[in-house]
Amino acid sequence: LREQNEMNRSTDNLRSPVICVMGHVDTGKTKILDKIRHSHVQDGEAGGITQQIGATNIPVTAIQEQTKMVDDFKKILIPGLLVIDTPGHESFSNLRSRGSSNCDMAILVVDIMHGLEPQTVESINMLRKRKTPFIVALNKIDRLYEWKASPDRDVVATIKQQKKFTKDEFQEKVNHVIVQFAEQGLNAKLHYENDDLDTWISMVPTSAHSGDGMGNLIALVVQSCQTRLAKRLSYSENLQCTVLEVKAIQGLGTTVDVILTNGRLKYGNTIVLAGVEGPIVTHVKGLLMPQPLKELRVKNPYDKFNEIKAAQGVKILAKDLDKALAGTSLLVAKRDDEIEILKDDVQAEVAQALKSIKLQ
Ligand code: GDP
């Protein structure tokens, strides 16, 4: 019933969920991101996919295109997906370990040939700590003995079509991973055998190399967000914004790249954020997002906006950002008498982050 209620909420004001990709080194995180990002670029049509600041925006049209081979894929209710595209990035791993990330759902990548590895377990612990739901991409299935790729079909059909010994090897590897998850206290199932997403973690067999299962992975991310996170994804005006990176750009000075998860940023906003020498108070002098992919060769790669609504990756221009710190919240003061309170909030978050780093 609860799920029914969630689904009945108004869905015309949903924001894009922020998705991050985690897992052990070499499991294929970057390749999965590349596959999601570039699958349409070669047709000279980006399918509306836009590279954002620290993230890739995948609109409904691109999701439809990428998931068209998936059987039983229902209506898309969210405006798109915002996939954080810096899995190995330092400030993002800071963000992860501080447990303050605004990621709504994670894709945990596991190499089917290797099973769970040390950083897989580390990622699981971080996700649990901040209660972030996740889906497992059981990647590199093309490395199963004599795997026959068929990326234009639903991966369930492709698995059925394999020779017996390939299917046996697949099942053996899957069983092994299930046991490893159980050792971590987690119940995992193949996504097509899972009819209770609240109890079981779904594993989608994928190959970022052949493309098998990539549509199923995207479809399941969308479906899980819609059914399990509908309430969380209702757009809210309460600002939720995290600094991903502090970057000096020639001609622009020092800028901060942020993930805007909720609310909106406006030109002229008074912003408060953490700095090496204490909180920084400054004014937004520019809100930038990259131009669509096909226009990237033009001289100025950014478009300027007066206002940007979540969820988006945004580059902020402002004075005094040289000493800004990545990995913490950016706040907006609506009135001048709020500034001191927000400075305290920012300071408290930094203190909390330092404490949790020391505890590790
Ligand atoms: P990351 O460290 O998790 O980001 O892993 P990468 O995406 O850099 O991939 C590590 C290596 O595995 C690279 O050589 C990739 O080409 C390869 N790789 C990634 N995904 C697949 C896959 O699905 N199948 C195969 N055979 N190789 C893959």
Side-chain angles (χ1 to χ4, degrees), residues 15-19 78-83 104-105 221 225 229 233 311:
R15 64 173 173 86
S16 301
V18 177
I19 310 295
I78 48 176
L81 297 171
L82 191 65
V83 185
D104 295 299
M105 179 159 304
V221 168
C225 284
L229 300 178
L233 296 178

Side-chain angles (χ1 to χ4, degrees), residues 66-70 73 151 204 211-220:
Q66 289 185 330
T67 57
K68 63 183 177 199
M69 76 296 281
V70 178
F73 184 42
V204 184
D212 286 305
M214 288 302 300
N216 291 83
L217 180 65
I218 295 168
L220 191 65

